[in-house]
Amino acid sequence: MTMTRRGLLKASVASAVTTTGLTWFAADEVFAADTQVIPSASHWGPFKAVVKNGVLVGIQPLKDVDATPTTMLTEGLIGRVYHKTRVKYPMVRKSYLANPTGDTKPHLRGKEPFVRVSWEQALALTADAIVRTAEKHGNEALFSASYGGWSHAGLLRPQVLQGRLFGLIGGHSVTTGDYSGGASQVSLPHIIGDMEVYSPQTSWEVMAEHTEVMVWIGCDPFKNNRIEFTVADHQMLPRWMKIKERGVKFVSINPQYTPTDDAVGSEWVKIVPNTDVALFSAMAYHVYNTGKHDKSYLAKYTVGFDKYLAYLLGKDGDGTPPKTPEWAAKITGIPAAKIVELAELFASKRTQFAGAWSLQRAHHGEMTHWAIINFAAMLGKIGKPGEGVGFSWHYGGGGMAQSNAIMPVGLSQGRNPIKARCPASRISEMLMNPGKEYTRDGATHKYPLVKLIYTAGNNFMSHQQNTNELLRAMNQQVETVICQDPWWCASSRFADIVLPATSALERDDMSTGGTYSNDKIYAMRQVIKPYGESLDDFEIFRRLAALMGVEYGFTEGKSVMDILKASYAATGQKVPFDKFWEDGIVRIDVPEKMRKWVRHGDFYTDPVKNPLHTKSGKIELFCSEIARFNVPDCPPVPKYLEPVEFLGNAKSGQVHVVSPHPYNRVHSQMANADVRLEQNVKGRQHVLISVEDAAAKGIKSGDLVELYNDRGALIAGAVVTKKIMKGVVSLEEGNWIQLDSKGRCNSGAINIITTSVASSGLSQATSANTCIANLKRCDDAESVNRAYEPPAIETAAQSKLDVDALKLSERANIVKGATMGAMLPGEKLFYERCTVCHVPREPGDFTKSQWHGITQSMFPRAGLDDLQRKVVLDFLEKNAKDAIVP
């Protein structure tokens, strides 16, 4: 007999939690008096939590806010909070606990049991390892892998709190840049004056009115907008359908046919991965040769066309031929006639190009977005209503009108006294080559000598390319790995000390709706009590701060609720905090003028009054700054450079493996929830394989397959489909890791086989989508997938640890550096309000002009008023890359 939702509430707590398919409730559901309904929010959407006897038994989506809630919200949120992979207690790896200052047997990470310890012992071991490492090797030896801030949607994200604590004890080495848009965030400020990959897009209403052709280039907004860095409300999905209803033609340039393509009926143009630059170069060549380029636009809005043209015509001295459609056809797999057809279509229609971040996660990835920009500029499209380029249509509700309201922000990360940094995707190289020089954005840096890794709320073991290389590097170099996380993810499994953090449902916090629209503020109220002995991140770092004598500097005497109330008050919203907290949401009006906003529109209207924040003030088809950097593998015009591995140089029978963002996860978050079973094959990540490749290798849907190369091997589940081109397979990133006796990942974690080669010496970004592997049917899997099982746990007699004898506070006082109190007003505001997403950008990372461009989209999310913006800009200008230093 099927149980009704109302019947579910009458069932026992155990039944309520374990019954599947009955975890969401209609918006008009009426509950009994013994049931609480608590408003909260997540990456997957806003909701009301249905709680009975202290147990979360259901989710009630907000129909008037999110008309299309996903199963990640309605089912996955409950499934993972009570999952068996929750870390219930503080844990220490067995060999590390036996001898924390001696031989800890690092090669046994991920292989041996953990031992439960008390919080007192775990925090003392953690603080002692931090201080001991700083004493012996300096604070540079402390490395934060707590990158990104994706752990939850709130203000008090663990990487910010960790940065705040470590800044108070002398600082730590951190990552710079990110995996998402690492190449373009460095190159595009030089080319078009902003990072672009994190910038708001033209209002959807402008698109509906003006656009004739929308070009998806690896872009899949219907899938990727299922989640957001803040709170997803899926408002663009019905808007895309309205745009379609206006008669817009959609063209998808992609090796696979995506959920977006299914939804809007895109014309599919199959392309060999990593060859988009060749396609756009050939289209540029064709429009020039046929006189379809816009000469007046090029003269008024761009610089460097003559040098770019020399490359197109094969006359710039690099030895490459003219970039004809026939030349590109051999590289891209797109027939020359089709390349001509596309070029003429785009030239003759009001066309918007939407390039995905995934395009630049490749060897020479800096070239791809740049080639799209150059082609669009040759057609005279950038800045016109419904036309041009955009590299964030697939993210954050790109296309929703912006409120420009002040948003709440939490605690400051603060200034980091240590300036040693490692590009996000270069962790393995850093560990293997301490002291080695590397270049990034025209400057030369050195890798620090790292002996301790601390990761909070970030599964770096799933992020980093070439997992086996990372493991070797960690075993060779790192004495202590500390992971602060709610779950036994890969980073927890390969750690020495594991500190159980609460999930976002077990703490109070606050977030916002619409990464770009910023039109809602959400209360993230605590729904259930902490699971096991877990503590929220603020409390863990507060206790560590107390042990090391910097508690007041960390908290400034404020509780979590004090911080949230102050953050809300700073927004200037008229709704009283108590009412907001009770209701769970405040809606913010969007100015009418923003519904007509056009990306780069002011520049197009008056390029003299509103120049771009490039060196020339114009679009740089040839970039003199990049030329000045003289990076051997990053030329000053967008050139097609053969990737280190792709189908054009692969061996017979090999496939190119692309690794898009997953449909039912945020990277590795939600991987342990049962929603994975919607797509999993025999408990493994599914991999899309073309009909032709499957037939050639004797594979059918439902088979297990092995992907392998000289970096590693993994097992996945086959889905044979016509929606991917021959020679390419698609394996979503973010799976947890379980290695079998042969070293194969039995869960299908893509980074076991991806390359750690840098995009180029300009950005040092990831090349994860440059990956060639062998494919075969797997008939020798050793077990079911055990990635989502907890590790072996041992209990041991609790020994009384003499914390006072460690003298942690006195020792930390010797190594600690500058505090927040020593900072100037603009400096304090910058580190407090503008550095909450990833690790702080340093003022010297960009020029004065570039900061003016970047802060246009940064300041609204940072919640700064006009006076505060002026103070921060003054600080940035005085400390920018091109500031005059006396």
Side-chain angles (χ1 to χ4, degrees):
M1 184 172 96
T2 302
M3 186 181 292
T4 65
R5 293 194 186 100
R6 195 174 300 278
L8 172 62
L9 286 176
K10 297 177 181 176
S12 68
V13 168
S15 296
V17 173
T18 58
T19 301
T20 60
L22 296 172
T23 57
W24 68 274
F25 297 86
D28 58 354
E29 186 79 31
V30 177
F31 300 101
D34 64 347
T35 301
Q36 291 178 281
V37 181
I38 303 170
S40 197
S42 70
H43 289 310
W44 303 279
F47 62 94
K48 291 181 180 178
V50 182
V51 180
K52 184 179 176 66
N53 297 332
V55 177
L56 177 65
V57 297
I59 296 296
Q60 191 176 35
L62 306 186
K63 185 177 180 181
D64 59 332
V65 177
D66 180 5
T68 56
T70 71
T71 53
M72 288 184 284
L73 175 68
T74 59
E75 298 178 18
L77 205 59
I78 291 180
R80 75 176 195 145
V81 76
Y82 292 122
H83 197 264
K84 57 188 172 182
T85 53
R86 282 298 299 267
V87 185
K88 294 182 181 180
Y89 313 107
M91 297 283 183
V92 183
R93 185 172 58 84
K94 185 176 181 179
S95 294
Y96 188 94
L97 183 63
N99 191 8
T101 60
D103 180 10
T104 62
K105 299 181 172 60
H107 64 282
L108 294 180
R109 290 179 184 136
K111 299 176 182 177
E112 68 174 338
F114 283 84
V115 179
R116 177 182 174 182
V117 299
S118 67
W119 267 111
E120 180 185 47
Q121 186 171 10
L123 291 174
L125 283 171
T126 298
D128 184 56
I130 291 169
V131 175
R132 186 174 69 250
T133 302
E135 289 171 331
K136 187 175 179 180
H137 302 286
N139 280 62
E140 280 194 4
L142 307 171
F143 178 70
S144 169
S146 305
Y147 143 100
W150 275 96
S151 56
H152 58 80
L155 303 183
L156 298 174
R157 305 194 193 209
Q159 94 286 358
V160 174
L161 300 174
Q162 181 186 336
R164 184 178 178 85
L165 171 63
F166 277 64
L168 293 169
I169 60 168
H172 56 165
S173 297
V174 296
T175 58
T176 187
D178 57 47
Y179 295 87
S180 297
S184 284
Q185 70 179 231
V186 173
S187 62
L188 293 189
H190 297 290
I191 294 158
I192 200 168
D194 195 351
M195 289 185 186
E196 295 294 329
V197 286
Y198 304 126
S199 301
Q201 304 300 287
T202 296
S203 167
W204 75 269
E205 293 174 67
V206 176
M207 302 292 293
E209 182 178 353
H210 294 279
T211 304
E212 294 177 299
V213 178
M214 185 83 192
V215 187
W216 310 120
I217 313 157
C219 193
D220 191 4
F222 274 68
K223 181 194 66 180
N224 288 357
N225 271 305
R226 285 162 62 85
I227 56 90
E228 282 195 31
F229 185 75
T230 53
V231 179
D233 56 19
H234 311 114
Q235 291 299 307
M236 266 305 291
L237 301 189
R239 268 75 176 193
W240 283 120
M241 301 315 293
K242 288 181 181 293
I243 292 171
K244 179 188 177 184
E245 289 166 9
R246 295 291 182 93
V248 174
K249 177 182 174 64
F250 293 89
V251 177
S252 179
I253 302 171
N254 201 318
Q256 66 183 101
Y257 202 70
T258 69
T260 301
D261 298 329
D262 277 326
V264 299
S266 305
E267 177 190 349
W268 184 19
V269 179
K270 302 175 186 178
I271 186 170
V272 170
N274 293 187
T275 67
D276 303 86
V277 177
L279 169 64
F280 280 87
S281 299
M283 290 194 296
Y285 176 95
H286 177 76
V287 298
Y288 174 77
N289 266 11
T290 55
K292 292 180 173 63
H293 60 302
D294 191 328
K295 301 181 186 65
S296 60
Y297 185 98
L298 288 168
K300 186 175 182 179
Y301 297 100
T302 77
V303 296
F305 177 63
D306 57 333
K307 294 182 175 63
Y308 180 54
L309 180 60
Y311 169 69
L312 296 180
L313 299 179
K315 296 179 179 179
D316 79 338
D318 67 357
T320 58
K323 310 309 174 293
T324 64
E326 291 74 19
W327 165 84
K330 297 176 183 177
I331 297 169
T332 64
I334 304 171
K338 186 63 179 181
I339 294 173
V340 169
E341 177 191 323
L342 291 172
E344 295 190 349
L345 172 68
F346 302 153
S348 63
K349 300 291 185 181
R350 293 189 297 273
T351 303
Q352 171 72 45
F353 298 97
W357 298 346
S358 59
L359 302 174
Q360 48 85 70
R361 295 190 202 115
H363 195 208
H364 310 302
E366 297 84 356
M367 301 291 104
T368 310
H369 286 167
W370 195 357
I372 297 168
I373 289 169
N374 279 22
F375 178 62
M378 284 182 66
L379 298 180
K381 296 189 179 299
I382 297 174
K384 293 180 180 178
E387 302 190 71
V389 294
F391 302 114
S392 202
W393 286 106
H394 60 288
Y395 168 74
M400 290 300 294
Q402 308 157 62
S403 75
N404 292 326
I406 295 173
M407 293 289 102
V409 293
L411 275 178
S412 118
Q413 185 155 175
R415 179 177 56 194
N416 182 6
I418 296 298
K419 300 307 176 188
R421 291 179 288 173
C422 172
S425 68
R426 312 306 297 147
I427 295 175
S428 300
E429 183 181 8
M430 171 191 71
L431 295 178
M432 294 184 296
N433 300 284
K436 178 183 175 181
E437 290 189 343
Y438 68 92
T439 60
R440 185 174 185 271
D441 201 16
T444 300
H445 309 273
K446 284 186 178 181
Y447 290 121
L449 171 70
V450 167
K451 290 295 182 179
L452 180 146
I453 293 177
Y454 197 122
T455 187
N458 171 58
N459 188 3
F460 78 103
M461 286 294 299
S462 285
H463 264 148
Q464 191 69 19
Q465 286 70 62
N466 197 341
T467 307
N468 286 316
E469 180 183 66
L470 174 63
L471 289 172
R472 290 192 297 271
M474 287 169 56
N475 292 343
Q476 166 189 308
Q477 185 69 13
V478 181
E479 296 171 351
T480 304
V481 179
I482 302 161
C483 184
Q484 181 171 314
D485 202 275
W487 289 279
W488 284 110
C489 64
S491 296
S492 301
R493 295 290 291 263
F494 286 87
D496 300 313
I497 301 172
V498 181
L499 306 178
T502 58
S503 76
L505 297 177
E506 299 150 46
R507 60 177 86 175
D508 288 323
D509 212 322
M510 189 187 304
S511 190
T512 57
T515 300
Y516 299 128
S517 59
N518 288 325
D519 59 357
K520 303 172 196 73
I521 302 175
Y522 291 108
M524 294 175 61
R525 286 172 51 186
Q526 182 176 344
V527 172
I528 54 176
K529 291 182 179 180
Y531 193 80
E533 291 183 1
S534 59
L535 298 173
D536 71 71
D537 293 297
F538 182 87
E539 178 63 15
I540 293 172
F541 286 120
R542 184 199 67 76
R543 293 188 186 188
L544 284 172
L547 283 174
M548 294 186 279
V550 292
E551 181 180 6
Y552 186 81
F554 181 78
T555 67
E556 297 181 359
K558 299 174 184 175
S559 67
V560 166
M561 194 54 68
D562 292 335
I563 295 165
L564 298 182
K565 288 180 177 179
S567 297
Y568 180 80
T571 68
Q573 291 297 315
K574 295 180 180 179
V575 177
F577 179 84
D578 289 345
K579 179 170 174 49
F580 154 68
W581 198 247
E582 178 67 24
D583 295 344
I585 183 173
V586 165
R587 300 169 192 263
I588 300 170
D589 291 334
V590 173
E592 191 63 30
K593 67 176 183 179
M594 295 309 295
R595 302 186 188 281
K596 300 298 180 184
W597 187 79
V598 176
R599 179 132 200 91
H600 309 115
D602 290 343
F603 167 67
Y604 175 70
T605 300
D606 190 338
V608 175
K609 184 179 179 181
N610 305 296
L612 297 177
H613 299 287
T614 59
K615 187 173 183 179
S616 65
K618 298 182 178 183
I619 302 166
E620 304 219 350
L621 310 186
F622 166 93
C623 182
S624 60
E625 276 291 277
I626 293 178
R628 185 175 64 82
F629 296 159
N630 195 29
V631 180
D633 55 355
C634 186
V637 295
K639 295 186 176 186
Y640 170 71
L641 304 172
E642 184 173 296
V644 64
E645 53 188 70
F646 80 125
L647 290 178
N649 54 30
K651 295 177 181 177
S652 177
Q654 289 186 315
V655 292
H656 193 121
V657 189
V658 295
S659 47
H661 187 279
Y663 187 78
N664 269 337
R665 296 192 295 272
V666 177
H667 304 308
S668 68
Q669 288 186 66
M670 204 67 75
N672 56 336
D674 284 348
V675 291
R676 73 178 185 276
L677 302 178
E678 291 178 19
Q679 295 181 313
N680 272 189
V681 174
K682 294 183 178 176
R684 278 87 169 176
Q685 174 62 51
H686 73 282
V687 56
L688 301 182
I689 305 171
S690 72
V691 172
E692 299 91 335
D693 288 325
K697 298 178 183 295
I699 295 168
K700 63 181 184 299
S701 287
D703 286 344
L704 292 182
V705 297
E706 185 173 333
L707 285 164
Y708 61 99
N709 55 26
D710 59 3
R711 293 181 287 270
L714 62 87
I715 299 171
V719 174
V720 180
T721 176
K722 295 179 179 179
K723 293 184 178 181
I724 194 160
M725 66 182 288
K726 179 183 177 182
V728 181
V729 301
S730 180
L731 182 76
E732 294 176 348
E733 51 90 5
N735 285 279
W736 293 7
I737 298 167
Q738 184 238 317
L739 302 178
D740 69 10
S741 67
K742 298 179 180 179
R744 301 175 299 182
C745 179
N746 193 33
S747 182
I750 180 63
N751 280 322
I752 288 285
I753 62 172
T754 52
T755 178
S756 61
V757 169
S759 179
S760 83
L762 180 73
S763 68
Q764 300 290 348
T766 180
S767 292
N769 276 320
T770 297
C771 180
I772 291 292
N774 300 289
L775 170 68
K776 67 179 181 180
R777 194 176 66 199
C778 177
D779 298 316
D780 63 344
E782 297 176 352
S783 70
V784 297
N785 180 12
R786 293 174 179 159
Y788 307 113
E789 299 285 339
I793 306 293
E794 293 185 358
T795 56
Q798 294 289 319
S799 57
K800 180 63 177 176
L801 183 67
D802 189 351
V803 178
D804 291 338
L806 294 175
K807 298 182 178 180
L808 293 167
S809 180
E810 294 140 26
R811 291 161 60 201
N813 187 55
I814 297 172
V815 299
K816 76 178 182 179
T819 67
M820 289 281 291
M823 301 169 77
L824 297 171
E827 182 181 14
K828 188 173 189 295
L829 272 173
F830 172 71
Y831 286 110
E832 182 177 83
R833 307 283 282 276
C834 304
T835 60
V836 298
C837 292
H838 298 286
V839 296
R841 313 284 181 193
E842 291 297 330
D845 285 350
F846 300 104
T847 66
K848 288 181 281 189
S849 179
Q850 288 170 347
W851 273 121
H852 276 267
I854 291 164
T855 54
Q856 286 181 6
S857 55
M858 173 192 290
F859 282 161
R861 294 197 291 274
L864 301 180
D865 61 31
D866 289 343
L867 178 60
Q868 291 170 328
R869 295 179 187 203
K870 184 178 183 304
V871 171
V872 170
L873 271 175
D874 182 63
F875 163 69
L876 293 173
E877 286 183 341
K878 289 178 180 177
N879 295 275
K881 183 185 290 187
D882 56 346
I884 299 174
V885 181

